[in-house]
Amino acid sequence: MDGILITNETYFDKEHNTTFRYQDKYKSFSIGSDFSTLVPFYQKLLKQVIGTKADETFKDFALSKEQTEKIKTIFEEQIDKTLPVYEDYKGTKIPHKRLEWKGEIYELHLGLNSPNNRKIDDFYKIVTIANECLKENKPMYLSIE
């Protein structure tokens, strides 16, 4: 398995530079084995939703509403589980991202030396995509290569 892609629209029938790269309405999360050792971790989480299909290769698989809700729940749980060990860089000049979660503000440094913060940001991106798809009553798309 080379990577996982989660999107709010079909991906492979579009030109990346004119859609996902430059338009805010197109949202995606991707993780690839070339850049991360976490692909098996995400695959294991996705198996809770799509079973052994997570071992297959496919593009733009439309998830049902129930599957999208389950992904949302799983990744919300991962945020809750990882936040207690996040690295706080509040007040520093290190580039960061501000995350508001359950009424609290977290300053996330997303450098390579902050793996927990990067995972929290990844989980949040997935939850955000799931929330949008559920709110707009449209499918969330999953691709595994």
Side-chain angles (χ1 to χ4, degrees):
M1 171 182 294
D2 292 330
I4 296 170
L5 174 68
I6 296 173
T7 59
N8 66 338
E9 298 279 343
T10 56
Y11 182 86
F12 291 95
D13 62 344
K14 294 175 179 55
E15 207 285 312
H16 175 78
N17 285 335
T18 59
T19 55
F20 285 90
R21 189 168 188 179
Y22 291 114
Q23 294 186 44
D24 291 338
K25 72 176 188 172
Y26 295 97
K27 294 179 181 55
S28 67
F29 165 78
S30 65
I31 189 160
S33 60
D34 291 344
F35 305 106
S36 177
T37 58
L38 292 174
V39 173
F41 172 76
Y42 284 88
Q43 181 184 20
K44 183 178 177 184
L45 293 174
L46 291 170
K47 277 186 179 183
Q48 297 175 48
V49 178
I50 60 171
T52 57
K53 186 164 182 68
D55 295 324
E56 299 173 17
T57 299
F58 52 86
K59 294 180 180 179
D60 289 336
F61 175 71
L63 297 168
S64 69
K65 180 179 179 181
E66 293 76 23
Q67 289 170 319
T68 301
E69 287 172 343
K70 192 162 186 176
I71 283 180
K72 178 182 175 244
T73 299
I74 288 168
F75 285 96
E76 285 175 337
E77 289 170 356
Q78 290 301 311
I79 292 171
D80 291 337
K81 188 176 176 179
T82 311
L83 271 174
V85 292
Y86 96 106
E87 295 97 10
D88 185 2
Y89 287 89
K90 195 172 189 172
T92 68
K93 294 184 180 183
I94 297 171
H96 66 274
K97 181 175 184 177
R98 181 171 289 191
L99 172 73
E100 184 175 343
W101 185 253
K102 296 185 177 178
E104 297 288 326
I105 301 290
Y106 299 91
E107 301 286 341
L108 301 178
H109 177 267
L110 300 178
L112 293 176
N113 60 343
S114 302
N116 286 327
N117 290 3
R118 292 175 63 92
K119 283 196 291 188
I120 292 166
D121 188 50
D122 289 350
F123 301 151
Y124 186 73
K125 286 177 187 173
I126 295 168
V127 168
T128 301
I129 293 169
N131 279 332
E132 176 192 318
C133 292
L134 291 167
K135 181 180 176 184
E136 296 181 12
N137 198 29
K138 63 182 186 180
M140 187 162 96
Y141 293 90
L142 174 64
S143 301
I144 297 180
E145 297 185 273

